[in-house]
Amino acid sequence: MTQITSQKLFARAREVIPGGVNSPVRAYGSVNLDPPFIIRGRGSKIYDVDGNEYIDYVGSWGPLILGHAHPAIVYAVRERVARGASFGAPTILEIEMAEELCEALPSLEMVRMVNSGTEATMSAIRLARGFTGRKKIIKFAGGYHGHVDALLIEAGSGALTLGVPDSAGIPAEFTSNTLSAVYNDLDSVDELLMICGNEIAAIIVEPVAGNMGTIPPQPGFLEGLRERCIKTGIVLIFDEVMTGFRVAYGGAQTLYNIKPDLTCLGKIIGGGLPVGAFGGRRDIMEHLAPLGEVYQAGTLSGNPLAMAAGLATLRTLKKENPYPELEKSSAYLGDGINTLLTEHGIPHYCTRVGSMLCTYFTAASVYNYETAQTSDCERFARFFASMLKRHIYLAPSQFEAGFVSTVHSQDDLDLTLEAVKTSLAEI
Ligand SMILES: *Cc1c(COP(=O)(O)O)cnc(C)c1O
């Protein structure tokens, strides 16, 4: 019998799936390896077809804060699917989800469910434009808000120039109303506001930047955005697809005590199933169809299985309040890595907010896209390969966050630090 291997599967996948993957970063392009094919996960571990067990710090890119195959989620989905997977009609679960979200995030008065983070940001921007009657938006270089045409602009394409598309297939006209500012830099925002403040519908920001590693907002940055948006009638959108229920139960807006006008959610609120949501001020949300003139829809939106998985996740988090414990375990890991790299004289900059963390291989301080780019990505690739060999599964890019879950044990953390230690000679 021929053995199934990841290598063979990847070759087979590439015949029928572009690049062999359904989302580009999974292809391991930036670390020059072939990705392992995963067959199952349980708790903090995942298992590949080659027979390897890994300690997982990707957690499906953020959703799995409770780890893999959490019993409450498995039970909830099993129990729901037996009663029908989808109806395209109202269900109680959707009300329960909306109530749970509005209770958790102080800025949410109403919420609409969608099926991905991308849909959430796309819809929030359309809504902000419909509500304000303005067409321009501001995003921050290095901020990622899904693969929405208007939001895929070249990072650092210059605050004063029009957004330049960062992908083929996006006409320049589609990004010409997207302006790029510098994260943690209110002056760069003010420059844009001075030129065309009254044409700007929305500022969209990751309150903790999680798609260029992990970059916390500097004191005053989010407050400054809040103030400016109030003054100018601009809709402030927090993209909390990653940070929602991750950095605190109530997201970054609770952690930093700032109320955005609209919030985008995803990842954790689906418990591993495909979900997104956007919500916020009632007077804005009431502009959505069928109440208002801004069209937005979805055949599978509010899907019962996704709602069941999400509700099981949120209720477990609310009941167990694991955030103080997550803070402790993540600090243990982050501090441990920091200390090891310092001892070995490897230039690095460690960042962390709660259970999101990143180690940049650079001597510079990292606080925006430009400083993140000073990282030695080849050294990261060597580190990644070395860790993978030692069965530690990290995100295959320097510019991704690592996630600690509630089921990472002290043993897991110590094994991880041990792997870091033995990896150092190879990087
Ligand atoms: C993951 C992510 C998205 C996109 O979500 P998808 O479900 O992949 O479409 C948007 N914004 C942020 C901040 C994210 O981390």
Side-chain angles (χ1 to χ4, degrees):
M1 207 180 81
T2 52
Q3 186 85 21
I4 294 176
T5 64
S6 288
Q7 209 182 10
K8 283 183 202 161
L9 288 177
F10 195 43
R12 187 173 144 202
R14 277 180 306 211
E15 290 298 315
V16 284
I17 304 172
V21 291
N22 281 308
S23 195
V25 73
R26 296 179 200 168
Y28 276 33
S30 63
V31 291
N32 303 311
L33 293 168
D34 283 358
F37 273 63
I38 307 304
I39 36 173
R40 66 190 180 90
R42 190 176 182 81
S44 62
K45 310 281 179 19
I46 54 174
Y47 303 83
D48 69 12
V49 296
D50 311 289
N52 298 302
E53 174 187 284
Y54 303 94
I55 302 173
D56 177 23
Y57 292 100
V58 178
S60 190
W61 301 89
L64 301 185
I65 192 167
L66 299 175
H68 295 271
H70 187 281
I73 299 174
V74 172
Y75 176 82
V77 172
R78 250 193 204 145
E79 194 255 355
R80 277 314 312 175
V81 72
R83 290 191 268 158
S86 182
F87 311 109
T91 61
I92 297 170
L93 289 167
E94 294 160 276
I95 311 174
E96 290 179 352
M97 174 59 86
E99 286 172 349
E100 206 70 56
L101 295 178
C102 290
E103 188 195 307
L105 290 103
S107 72
L108 293 201
E109 294 173 338
M110 298 183 109
V111 64
R112 167 79 43 100
M113 299 307 300
V114 291
N115 306 289
S116 69
T118 297
E119 259 189 84
T121 59
M122 179 184 82
S123 308
I125 283 186
R126 182 183 303 151
L127 177 58
R129 284 173 162 157
F131 174 72
T132 57
R134 304 173 182 177
K135 63 183 182 185
K136 292 189 189 301
I137 52 175
I138 295 178
K139 77 175 282 289
F140 293 89
Y144 178 69
H145 308 287
H147 65 102
V148 180
D149 279 344
L151 296 173
L152 279 186
I153 62 166
E154 264 178 21
S157 55
L160 303 180
T161 55
L162 303 175
V164 178
D166 198 21
S167 159
I170 302 178
E173 289 89 337
F174 287 26
T175 56
S176 63
N177 288 306
T178 309
L179 306 170
S180 174
V182 178
Y183 195 76
N184 275 328
D185 182 353
L186 289 170
D187 289 344
S188 74
V189 176
D190 285 336
E191 263 183 83
L192 296 175
L193 294 183
M194 213 141 65
I195 300 166
C196 54
N198 57 3
E199 292 174 67
I200 292 168
I203 296 180
I204 184 164
V205 64
E206 290 176 77
V208 175
N211 288 286
M212 44 178 167
T214 299
I215 302 184
Q218 290 173 348
F221 176 59
L222 298 175
E223 291 84 347
L225 294 179
R226 179 62 285 180
E227 229 168 71
R228 283 160 178 76
C229 286
I230 288 172
K231 231 184 269 168
T232 50
I234 294 171
V235 175
L236 179 60
I237 305 174
F238 272 13
D239 181 350
E240 295 228 42
V241 170
M242 187 184 290
T243 53
F245 301 90
R246 166 62 64 180
V247 298
Y249 188 73
Q253 56 193 270
T254 301
L255 190 63
Y256 299 111
N257 194 26
I258 315 273
K259 255 187 167 178
D261 301 305
L262 293 177
T263 298
C264 300
L265 294 165
K267 297 193 171 126
I268 288 178
I269 66 164
L273 273 77
V275 167
F278 65 104
R281 272 165 50 188
R282 185 179 302 277
D283 63 320
I284 300 179
M285 291 301 288
E286 283 181 345
H287 284 258
L288 273 184
L291 282 183
E293 69 291 2
V294 177
Y295 190 69
Q296 191 280 327
T299 301
L300 291 169
S301 292
N303 173 264
L305 300 187
M307 296 304 96
L311 280 167
T313 304
L314 301 190
R315 285 169 180 160
T316 304
L317 289 172
K318 194 159 73 173
K319 192 175 81 198
E320 295 179 359
N321 183 24
Y323 296 94
E325 198 50 47
L326 274 173
E327 172 67 28
K328 252 194 267 171
S329 51
S330 308
Y332 181 82
L333 184 65
D335 294 349
I337 294 171
N338 197 7
T339 304
L340 285 170
L341 291 173
T342 304
E343 280 171 7
H344 285 75
I346 294 175
H348 67 284
Y349 190 80
C350 290
T351 57
R352 184 179 69 81
V353 178
S355 55
M356 280 169 70
L357 64 174
C358 186
T359 301
Y360 300 90
F361 289 103
T362 175
S365 305
V366 174
Y367 51 88
N368 61 19
Y369 181 71
E370 204 185 324
T371 48
Q373 293 303 309
T374 63
S375 301
D376 181 347
C377 291
E378 281 166 24
R379 176 166 263 168
F380 173 82
R382 293 195 295 276
F383 175 67
F384 175 86
S386 184
M387 292 295 278
L388 191 69
K389 206 163 66 183
R390 292 172 174 84
H391 298 110
I392 310 296
Y393 188 84
L394 307 173
S397 158
Q398 168 71 89
F399 304 108
E400 300 288 349
F403 299 106
V404 178
S405 78
T406 59
V407 290
H408 281 94
S409 65
Q410 187 60 42
D411 256 10
D412 289 335
L413 302 175
D414 286 328
L415 281 168
T416 305
L417 290 175
E418 202 52 48
V420 172
K421 199 170 171 181
T422 49
S423 289
L424 291 174
E426 293 174 15
I427 69 170

